[in-house]
Amino acid sequence: MVIIGAGNLGKHIADERIDEKYNEEIIFYDDHANPATPIFNRFKIINTENLLEDYFKNKNASFIAAAGHPRIRARLVAKAESLGGKSESIISIHAHFSNFSSAGTGTILQPGCCVSHNTKIGISAII
């Protein structure tokens, strides 16, 4: 999985994936980050669209857009999808999400949140 955005939300998502025993590779994409300095001395950073497109084609197309601002997140999702990425949702095991609710692709439900029945969450929402 590619976490798009190497800021606080991206780091939080990586930490959650580790806590939840996520067993696939995690890398970061951030065009403002230094690829010579891995996140938490563990996660590789790529910082060009060419490298991101290659990763999507040759390794794993799954990504999550980790930007807090909705318009920035929407632009990141559109760009990643145009490069062959597939937006994924993340629902923390420490969140309650009703079986009778729905969430759009790219949604992030963080630890401690509670989504009750008959709730419809849009695309790429963060709760």
Side-chain angles (χ1 to χ4, degrees), residues 33-49:
N34 181 355
T37 308
I39 303 292
F40 298 132
N41 294 318
R42 177 176 179 173
F43 300 108
K44 178 182 175 181
I45 300 171
I46 57 177
N47 66 350
T48 69
E49 289 180 9

Side-chain angles (χ1 to χ4, degrees), residues 17 20-25:
R17 298 290 82 187
E20 296 175 359
K21 310 294 187 248
Y22 184 78
N23 59 5
E24 294 182 34
E25 180 181 46

Side-chain angles (χ1 to χ4, degrees), residues 88-120:
E88 299 289 335
S89 295
I90 294 178
I91 299 174
S92 172
I93 61 172
H94 304 291
H96 171 73
F97 185 70
S98 172
N99 293 309
F100 305 103
S101 291
S102 63
T105 60
T107 295
I108 300 169
L109 298 182
Q110 295 182 318
C113 74
C114 179
V115 178
S116 189
H117 63 280
N118 295 329
T119 301
K120 293 182 182 180

Side-chain angles (χ1 to χ4, degrees), residues 35-72:
T37 308
I39 303 292
F40 298 132
N41 294 318
R42 177 176 179 173
F43 300 108
K44 178 182 175 181
I45 300 171
I46 57 177
N47 66 350
T48 69
E49 289 180 9
N50 289 338
L51 289 172
L52 181 60
E53 185 175 26
D54 287 346
Y55 190 87
F56 287 155
K57 285 181 182 176
N58 299 314
K59 296 211 175 181
N60 187 341
S62 296
F63 75 88
I64 190 77
H69 194 284
R71 285 187 293 260
I72 293 171

